[in-house]
Structure formats: C-alpha cells, structure tokens
Amino acid sequence: MNAIQKRVRIAGGLILIGLLIELTSLLDPRPTPFAFFFFAGGAFLMLLGLMFYLVSIVFPSEE
Amino acid sequence: MFDEKLILIGFILISVVLVAYVIVRPGVTMARGGKMLAFVALLVFPVMAGSLGTVEHLRRSTSTEFCLSCHIMEDYGKSLHVDDREYIPALHYQNNLVPRDHACYTCHTDYAMFGDARSKARGLRHVYVNYFGTKPETIKLYTPFSTRECLHCHLGMRAFEEGATHTQDPTTLPKIKANQLACTSSGCHSTIHNVKGLKDVKLWEAPVK
C-alpha cells in the first residue's frame, strides 16, 4: 500500500466515524444528540477527514 | 410523499457504504475510475450528508419537544397547559394560535434581519450551559420581550386592530405599533409563563386524537 492509499484510508476512516455519529444523532430529537453532532465529534471528524483527503490529492506524496 | 429524515438517513447510508468500500479497497484509487469514485465517496457525499444533517438538526432544534427536553424547561412546558385565558402562552398554545410543535420558537425568535441567526447562537449557548455550565435558578430573557414579536402575527388582525381596549384611547394602537407600549409589560397582558404559581392552577388536558 503506497502513501496515497494510506492517506485515503485515514481520511475515509475519519469520515466514516463522523457519518456514523451523524446517523446515530438523528435518531433522537433532543439536545444530547444535537450536542454530540456539533460539539463531540460528528461534524468535526467529517471536516477533518475531508481536509485530510483534500490535502492528500492536492499535495500527493512523492513515495 | 417521502419523509425528509428518511431521505437523509438513506443518503448517509449510501455515503457509509461508499466510504467503507474505499477504505477496504484503497487500491482502486490508482485507476482513473477509482479516483473519481474516491472523490465522490470522500468529498461529494460526505459534504452533502453533513450539510443536510446540519440543516435537519437546526430544524429540529426549533421544536417544542427539543426545548422542553431540558429539565430546567419542564415548568415552562407545563405553563402551556394552564387552564386560564390570562396566561398568554397557554392561550396561544391551546388555541393553536402558534403551531404546537414549534410553540417556543414561534414567540422566542427575533423577527428581525438576523433574528434566526441570533436565536440559534443563543440556543447553542443554552445547550452548552445545560451540559457544562451553571444553570441559573431563574431563567431570564436576554432582552425584554419586544412587541415586534407579537405584532408579527397580530398586526392587521381584526380582533387586535378593532378590539375595544385597543381602540378606546386613539393613541393606544399607534403606541403599540411604534413599540412604545409593550403588550406584556404594560399591565395589560402581563401573565406570561408565571412558573412560580403553577402549583396553584388547574391544568388543561389536551384531548387524545
């Protein structure tokens, strides 16, 4: 597995966890899941994953 | 028609499957088609799912159920069921003068240019205080309740414009409309939630549909 594949995997992992948090947060219309999505990782992990992916395609590794 | 929430959940599930595929088989990103798949799976779908999820969460945060689910708000929810027409929020709630499922937000948003955004910012602060801050003994509004919020619905309403108490003195209506005479603090409609007096009042039970 080369460096780009590793980065894609990490980005995918972060996005996947973010998506799963978003999915569970939609099951209950109360402030706890709302806070979970906005403050405890859901949106943050997805953004982090997206940034990681964008960086990996804009600045590809030379390996 | 389709339920918006179901569409969103479907969207997230498709995103999960696509992302999982790219994680399990990262080798596909070496080919041109695989690169396009990764772009869709890791960028297009997650951005759409995240944006739609944010919109759905913000929409749900305006519901009565959401506002009243914090323990500190329970009495305010109970005050909507007081069997007394003097209680202004109860009168509005019980007679469907405000949508029951968005009762709090209908009156407690600023009907001004940045009203929604300001209300959301305050709401986020409430969520933060609920979990990490010190809850105040008595809840107070940040600013006095503006007549503008009442006029958003009542302006032009026949009962409001032609009501005997409003027209008895010809200066009353112009003053209300100019926000110089407050509906709630002028002594006319001053029984609002009054949560401290809840133990002494009779509550109305909504009929089961």
Side-chain angles (χ1 to χ4, degrees):
Chain A
M1 192 187 299
N2 63 27
I4 292 179
Q5 290 174 354
K6 275 182 195 163
R7 286 181 184 182
V8 163
R9 218 172 210 185
I10 293 169
L14 291 168
I15 293 170
L16 188 66
I17 296 168
L19 284 169
L20 291 174
I21 291 176
E22 183 184 350
L23 191 62
T24 47
S25 75
L26 285 169
L27 301 176
D28 191 355
R30 284 184 299 178
T32 310
F34 177 87
F36 218 69
F37 178 62
F38 283 107
F39 304 123
F44 175 72
L45 283 176
M46 280 171 69
L47 271 177
L48 197 66
L50 290 175
M51 294 306 293
F52 207 88
Y53 172 64
L54 285 174
V55 168
S56 75
I57 56 172
V58 175
F59 306 107
S61 168
E62 289 176 6
E63 277 180 51
Chain B
M1 281 305 284
F2 294 111
D3 185 353
E4 286 170 20
K5 193 176 150 188
L6 282 179
I7 293 173
L8 175 58
I9 289 175
F11 212 86
I12 295 171
L13 287 174
I14 293 170
S15 307
V16 166
V17 171
L18 287 174
V19 173
Y21 182 75
V22 174
I23 292 173
V24 173
R25 294 181 187 277
V28 294
T29 57
M30 291 297 101
R32 190 183 171 147
K35 282 192 175 103
M36 285 165 71
L37 175 72
F39 185 77
V40 170
L42 299 179
L43 192 77
V44 179
F45 267 77
V47 166
M48 293 280 281
S51 308
L52 291 173
T54 303
V55 170
E56 172 67 10
H57 269 293
L58 291 178
R59 190 186 65 78
R60 280 161 48 166
S61 71
T62 65
S63 72
T64 308
E65 187 188 2
F66 183 94
C67 299
L68 301 183
S69 61
C70 289
H71 176 65
I72 202 164
M73 296 307 296
E74 276 176 12
D75 281 346
Y76 289 84
K78 208 187 269 183
S79 76
L80 298 175
H81 294 266
V82 174
D83 194 8
D84 184 343
R85 291 180 64 85
E86 287 292 308
Y87 280 69
I88 299 302
L91 174 74
H92 282 74
Y93 178 83
Q94 291 167 28
N95 292 290
N96 284 335
L97 299 176
V98 291
R100 283 187 194 167
D101 51 350
H102 290 84
C104 311
Y105 192 74
T106 305
C107 295
H108 291 285
T109 188
D110 298 336
Y111 288 103
M113 193 174 173
F114 299 109
D116 269 0
R118 213 173 286 153
S119 300
K120 295 289 179 203
R122 284 198 302 247
L124 287 175
R125 190 176 160 204
H126 293 165
V127 173
Y128 174 81
V129 170
N130 189 53
Y131 291 106
F132 307 110
T134 312
K135 293 172 202 163
E137 293 240 341
T138 313
I139 299 174
K140 285 182 184 163
L141 293 175
Y142 293 101
T143 51
F145 195 81
S146 172
T147 303
R148 181 190 55 207
E149 274 52 279
C150 307
L151 291 179
H152 182 74
C153 296
H154 286 276
L155 194 65
M157 190 179 163
R158 190 176 175 190
F160 170 75
E161 301 277 355
E162 297 177 9
T165 17
H166 292 161
T167 53
Q168 209 168 19
D169 178 351
T171 63
T172 305
L173 268 180
K175 275 186 188 171
I176 296 173
K177 290 177 184 175
N179 209 1
Q180 290 166 354
L181 183 64
C183 308
T184 53
S185 56
S186 57
C188 302
H189 304 287
S190 52
T191 312
I192 316 299
H193 289 288
N194 198 21
V195 289
K196 285 183 181 164
L198 278 182
K199 57 182 185 304
D200 306 318
V201 294
K202 189 181 154 200
L203 295 180
W204 168 74
E205 277 183 37
V208 181
K209 285 181 185 172

